[in-house]
Amino acid sequence: MYYYRIFDDKDELNFFKSSFEYSKIQELIKEYEKTNQEYVNPDFIGFLKKQDSEAEIIEVTNIYY
């Protein structure tokens, strides 16, 4: 699995995991941009899940000790 962070048009930061390498994610982002005027992370992840069933937004929590 690969882990990524992504910002959308609403300045929302999310992290997601995917079985795709970075180059494939870049290709899919370009494809997504062709059909979408606004970039919202949950929408992109929904688009990505059609190609990669393992893709999902993940929650990242800081740990202090």
Side-chain angles (χ1 to χ4, degrees):
M1 294 300 285
Y2 298 91
Y3 298 87
Y4 302 96
R5 64 180 180 178
I6 188 170
F7 286 93
D8 63 16
D9 284 351
K10 298 182 180 188
D11 292 324
E12 186 75 27
L13 168 65
N14 289 111
F15 296 86
F16 70 95
K17 66 179 183 176
S18 172
S19 63
F20 292 153
E21 292 184 5
Y22 183 76
S23 59
K24 179 65 174 178
I25 296 294
Q26 287 294 343
E27 289 176 28
L28 291 171
I29 287 172
K30 289 178 184 176
E31 185 178 327
Y32 177 79
E33 288 175 340
K34 291 178 185 176
T35 58
N36 291 273
Q37 297 295 319
E38 184 177 54
Y39 311 125
V40 181
N41 292 342
D43 295 344
F44 174 70
I45 301 303
F47 170 82
L48 180 59
K49 280 188 80 67
K50 293 176 184 172
Q51 305 286 326
D52 177 10
S53 63
E54 297 183 60
E56 67 179 300
I57 290 179
I58 57 174
E59 184 175 326
V60 175
T61 305
N62 293 327
I63 297 175
Y64 300 95
Y65 62 97

